[in-house]
Amino acid sequence: MVKIIGRKPLGTQPVYDIGVERDHNFLLFNGSVASNCFNKSHSTAYAYVTYQTAFLKANYPVEYMTALLTASSGNQDKVQKYIATCTTMGIDVLQPDINRSQVDFTPVSGKILFGFSAIRNLGEGAIEIILQKREAGGDFQSLADFCDRVDLRVVNRRALEPLIYSGAFDRLEKNRKQLIHDLEVLISWAQDRAKDRESGQINIFDVLGNTDNNNSEANDAWKAAPTTPKVEDFSAQEKLQQEKELLGFYVSDHPLKSVRLFANQVLTPINLNELADQNKRTILSAIVMLTEVKFHNTKTNGDRMAFVQMEDLTSQADGVIFPKTFERISSFIEKDARLIVWGKADERDEKIQMIIEDVEPIETAQMIIVELTPQRVDTATLKRLQSILQEQSGERKPQKVPVIARVGALNQSQFVRFDPKYWVQDYQGMVDRLKSAGFQARTKALAENK
């Protein structure tokens, strides 16, 4: 039910805070109504819509997120944000599938399947033919079978390559590079067969196929299609880059996904889509990949600096690295680098960017784990540990190495994260210092997410 829980005057219009009550859990939706100063009837209508969307998201999360993705399929920033939301909700977004995808995003067994319409260079005509042939003749058995059944004048090479690169044929053949190599000979073979059919000619494979099945589209002629010599598949990074170019975002995986879920518990980084909401004076951290790097020389002294574009699982953002910082971290600044960045939010020309003050490659980022038994978790021990960690607190640059306490007994243990003011710079030196003080301490790479 919708319930008005309070109001306050603002000028001549009353402003309502609207609440939604469901299953004894009270949700406060206060902001979209209050900030717009709507009258009571308008506010109630908005509250009802708020309740409906909250109900759908809570009770039908897969269907709700599918609808959002479909409605926003033309906006890459929104789709990227919603895919990130799906990740946090535990909903997998699956790559396109030539035998399962529809025009739009669709829910499939608790997951969301990518739609054909979101693939670049794949027009409506090509999608319509693919779906018609699949409906009429059943699943495609291979790329050769696909080329033989569709009209290659519409589903041409410009449409076929995006299907392969985006992973639509992965369930039939995982080696995408092999499919690309085979494509030219298969197109030529399928075009010859199409010409034969148009001229009324048939071949031995069609005859044999039609003996067992009157539907000529269901024969096994594709098994005799030509192939090219075997080649090694694209690397995982190449596949992801191709997906990004054709879909606008990563689908089968993300270069940051494996480390992000674990690092969230350790570093508490922000998401880039939250950058505009951050305090401009606070040092922030984010786990990003550099998608674009532009070097620049200052006009005054000719000092080197850089402008970068960063992305994470949620969004993209610009970053600037001024000369003094650039001199120290320049070796890490390159395209496709996966980094932990520290810096401050800054607004320039009505656009939010990050002034980067330090970075650390994800592959080399470390944390310190201090082993504690329940018997040692007492005030005196914790004060001594705190005092040792504070030895580096006077340094001005961001402390990059988080410290985690692992409190364990028998087969049970719990990790406790120390406040960032107790983080350190020299992790190996701190481990040695802790060991000399009688603590069990070790380092662990952040990329080791197990």
Side-chain angles (χ1 to χ4, degrees), residues 33-93:
V33 174
S35 64
N36 288 288
C37 304
F38 292 136
N39 58 33
K40 183 175 180 179
S41 62
H42 207 156
S43 299
T44 303
Y46 265 72
Y48 185 57
V49 172
T50 302
Y51 165 74
Q52 288 177 314
T53 55
F55 177 86
L56 290 172
K57 187 173 182 179
N59 293 278
Y60 302 95
V62 175
E63 292 78 4
Y64 176 77
M65 294 307 300
T66 300
L68 280 182
L69 286 165
T70 296
S72 305
S73 58
N75 187 320
Q76 291 184 5
D77 289 339
K78 284 189 175 181
V79 171
Q80 185 176 13
K81 180 179 73 173
Y82 292 145
I83 287 178
T85 302
C86 289
T87 299
T88 61
M89 294 171 65
I91 301 172
D92 291 333
V93 179

Side-chain angles (χ1 to χ4, degrees), residues 152-164:
L152 292 176
R153 292 168 296 188
V154 181
V155 190
N156 52 27
R157 188 183 185 105
R158 188 169 181 266
L160 283 165
E161 288 185 348
L163 284 169
I164 295 171

Side-chain angles (χ1 to χ4, degrees), residues 236-255:
Q237 183 61 36
E238 287 175 320
K239 287 185 176 182
L240 290 178
Q241 192 59 42
Q242 290 158 358
E243 290 177 9
K244 180 68 181 297
E245 291 174 0
L246 292 165
L247 304 177
F249 26 78
Y250 305 103
V251 178
S252 62
D253 200 356
H254 192 287

Side-chain angles (χ1 to χ4, degrees), residues 201-427:
Q201 297 183 38
I202 59 175
N203 60 46
I204 186 63
F205 298 106
D206 292 326
V207 172
L208 292 175
N210 287 327
T211 300
D212 299 326
N213 192 325
N214 290 328
N215 183 354
S216 62
E217 289 185 341
N219 64 53
D220 292 339
W222 59 269
K223 293 182 178 180
T227 59
T228 59
K230 296 296 182 183
V231 295
E232 188 176 350
D233 199 4
F234 297 113
S235 67
Q237 183 61 36
E238 287 175 320
K239 287 185 176 182
L240 290 178
Q241 192 59 42
Q242 290 158 358
E243 290 177 9
K244 180 68 181 297
E245 291 174 0
L246 292 165
L247 304 177
F249 26 78
Y250 305 103
V251 178
S252 62
D253 200 356
H254 192 287
L256 300 176
K257 191 173 182 179
S258 59
V259 67
R260 175 78 202 209
L261 296 176
F262 177 72
N264 275 353
Q265 306 170 18
V266 179
L267 293 172
T268 61
I270 66 163
N271 293 322
L272 290 182
N273 65 351
E274 303 168 338
L275 187 59
D277 303 325
Q278 304 303 312
N279 188 316
K280 304 301 186 293
R281 298 180 179 180
T282 302
I283 294 289
L284 312 167
S285 68
I287 297 175
V288 304
M289 187 171 70
L290 302 186
T291 57
E292 188 174 340
V293 177
K294 292 183 179 179
F295 300 109
H296 181 73
N297 293 328
T298 62
K299 292 182 180 179
T300 53
N301 302 319
D303 295 332
R304 294 272 282 173
M305 59 179 295
F307 297 96
V308 301
Q309 187 173 70
M310 310 174 291
E311 78 165 32
D312 63 7
L313 276 67
T314 66
S315 185
Q316 296 181 340
D318 293 330
V320 57
I321 307 170
F322 290 120
K324 287 186 178 179
T325 303
F326 182 79
E327 184 179 355
R328 177 165 45 85
I329 66 173
S330 60
S331 60
F332 305 127
I333 307 305
E334 58 184 19
K335 187 177 179 181
D336 295 331
R338 300 190 307 163
L339 303 171
I340 304 170
V341 299
W342 287 265
K344 295 180 181 179
D346 177 64
E347 186 172 356
R348 182 180 181 183
D349 298 330
E350 299 183 353
K351 189 175 182 180
I352 295 296
Q353 63 180 4
M354 177 183 280
I355 298 177
I356 298 174
E357 299 185 4
D358 207 350
V359 303
E360 179 76 21
I362 288 176
E363 290 76 14
T364 61
Q366 300 284 328
M367 65 178 173
I368 294 175
I369 298 179
V370 183
E371 304 282 354
L372 296 174
T373 60
Q375 294 77 17
R376 294 198 65 183
V377 183
D378 56 69
T379 303
T381 301
L382 293 179
K383 281 188 175 182
R384 190 156 58 93
L385 179 57
Q386 175 185 347
S387 176
I388 296 171
L389 294 174
Q390 283 181 323
E391 291 176 0
Q392 292 189 27
S393 62
E395 297 188 14
R396 298 180 63 181
K397 55 186 178 180
Q399 311 301 313
K400 299 193 294 185
V401 182
V403 181
I404 307 293
R406 179 179 177 273
V407 183
L410 298 176
N411 295 327
Q412 295 183 343
S413 63
Q414 184 173 358
F415 289 88
V416 180
R417 183 184 61 222
F418 281 76
D419 188 275
K421 66 182 179 181
Y422 297 116
W423 293 7
V424 301
Q425 276 285 342
D426 179 9
Y427 60 88

Side-chain angles (χ1 to χ4, degrees), residues 62-132:
V62 175
E63 292 78 4
Y64 176 77
M65 294 307 300
T66 300
L68 280 182
L69 286 165
T70 296
S72 305
S73 58
N75 187 320
Q76 291 184 5
D77 289 339
K78 284 189 175 181
V79 171
Q80 185 176 13
K81 180 179 73 173
Y82 292 145
I83 287 178
T85 302
C86 289
T87 299
T88 61
M89 294 171 65
I91 301 172
D92 291 333
V93 179
L94 306 176
Q95 65 196 52
D97 188 324
I98 200 65
N99 282 325
R100 296 194 300 163
S101 289
Q102 301 295 328
V103 176
D104 297 317
F105 291 88
T106 51
V108 177
S109 304
K111 302 176 182 179
I112 300 175
L113 182 62
F114 219 93
F116 287 134
S117 61
I119 302 177
R120 292 178 184 173
N121 301 328
L122 191 63
E124 292 182 6
I127 295 172
E128 184 178 353
I129 288 177
I130 292 171
L131 296 179
Q132 285 177 352

Side-chain angles (χ1 to χ4, degrees), residues 98-99 130 133-134 138-142 145-146 149 172:
I98 200 65
N99 282 325
I130 292 171
K133 294 298 181 180
R134 195 174 73 192
D139 288 354
F140 299 106
Q141 302 302 310
S142 68
D145 182 38
F146 180 88
R149 288 164 56 181
L172 302 179

